[in-house]
Amino acid sequence: MNPLPGGADFFEVVSKVETACVTASLKEIPELGINIPACYASLGDVLSMLYAEAACSFGCAGGDHFWQKLTARIVGHSLASLRLAMSGYYDESLSLTRSVGEIANLLFLFAAKPELVKFWQSSDDKRRKKHFGPVKVRLAIEELGHRPPIDESRYSLLCEVGVHLAPSVSPQAFNEHGRPSLGATLRGSELMVTLNELSMVVAESAACISTFPFVGPRASALLVSAQVLLNMVGNLDLKAAKEFRLDGV
């Protein structure tokens, strides 16, 4: 017999467990060393600045709001990713972080080759997928002699943990013991990894956005905040977590 209630009562039970996990996560962050609390605060600074840009808080210039829409997508995905991480859904958080990373790479390409913006805007879905898929964007950046914000190694890890299915996949299991869970359970190491991964792509995205004219006189402050956030990102990322588990430490 199922020990859990069904119907709307099931969602109420889950909501209570998730809320408890968020509360526990907020209490845990100040205890996770020096970098994580600083990274969390810096992430809030950068997302607040991007939120203001997306919402035309400094005045609306009109037009199609192309850049504001891209910025809004970064903010929305990032806040949702953070909420999922705080609720103990670390895999799902990383799935959205991967999406932010794809935007970061696209913005980096636009910054390097501004003429591609109009081509991207005027392309239909088929042509955008052909010329601006995640792999094509990454390769285009590399061909220009630059390192993409999200390189092949990091992107593959984000896909492996947060998106793609494989016979060995277990939910929320990239911790030191490889123990899975169904989420809404605080795990300090996984919280650190998800915060570091999210902060890195948000910082890279913000740095790119600071180069575009629509930001105006706020560009310098946004770039500085992005650099501060990037400097706060700790060493415990997906690659380190995977190596740590494989080493059996």
Side-chain angles (χ1 to χ4, degrees):
M1 183 176 179
N2 190 349
L4 295 173
D9 290 340
F10 171 72
F11 297 126
E12 183 177 351
V13 170
V14 171
S15 179
K16 289 179 180 178
V17 175
E18 290 170 346
T19 299
C21 187
V22 171
T23 300
S25 297
L26 289 170
K27 291 181 179 179
E28 180 74 2
I29 286 176
E31 307 300 323
L32 295 175
I34 297 175
N35 274 65
I36 287 297
C39 185
Y40 182 70
S42 293
L43 178 62
D45 288 338
V46 175
L47 285 177
S48 175
M49 297 173 79
L50 293 178
Y51 195 109
E53 295 297 339
C56 295
S57 296
F58 302 100
C60 182
D64 60 5
H65 288 80
F66 170 74
W67 294 108
Q68 287 82 2
K69 291 174 183 176
L70 281 180
T71 306
R73 180 62 63 89
I74 293 168
V75 173
H77 278 9
S78 298
L79 290 175
S81 175
L82 180 62
R83 183 68 179 181
L84 285 167
M86 301 296 280
S87 301
Y89 297 110
Y90 306 110
D91 295 353
E92 293 74 16
S93 170
L94 290 169
S95 175
L96 285 172
T97 293
R98 188 194 74 158
S99 296
V100 180
E102 291 177 354
I103 300 173
N105 279 0
L106 183 64
L107 289 171
F108 190 100
L109 183 60
F110 286 164
K113 296 191 70 174
E115 65 272 19
L116 290 178
V117 175
K118 291 295 183 183
F119 180 58
W120 187 84
Q121 286 181 291
S122 62
S123 296
D124 57 21
D125 287 343
K126 184 177 180 180
R127 190 160 64 164
R128 271 195 298 272
K129 289 177 182 177
K130 179 180 179 180
H131 295 281
F132 296 98
V135 175
K136 293 293 182 66
V137 170
R138 175 176 57 78
L139 291 176
I141 294 172
E142 291 173 349
E143 288 171 2
L144 293 172
H146 300 299
R147 181 192 65 81
I150 303 298
D151 61 18
E152 183 180 10
S153 175
R154 173 161 267 109
Y155 189 79
S156 295
L157 283 170
L158 288 168
C159 290
E160 176 185 330
V161 173
V163 181
H164 294 165
L165 291 176
S168 60
V169 165
S170 294
Q172 327 298 338
F174 61 95
N175 53 77
E176 61 268 31
H177 304 296
R179 294 174 181 167
S181 77
L182 286 176
T185 300
L186 171 62
R187 292 184 173 181
S189 60
E190 290 177 78
L191 180 58
M192 292 172 70
V193 170
T194 51
L195 281 174
N196 282 330
E197 292 286 350
L198 176 61
S199 296
M200 194 276 289
V201 297
V202 169
E204 294 279 11
S205 298
C208 290
I209 287 174
S210 72
T211 68
F212 299 115
F214 84 100
V215 180
R218 301 172 298 280
S220 179
L222 181 58
L223 178 59
V224 169
S225 293
Q227 291 171 333
V228 170
L229 176 57
L230 199 57
N231 289 337
M232 290 297 104
V233 174
N235 294 324
L236 186 56
D237 56 10
L238 275 175
K239 181 179 179 181
K242 184 175 183 179
E243 291 174 351
F244 185 75
R245 190 171 73 244
L246 291 177
D247 289 342
V249 178

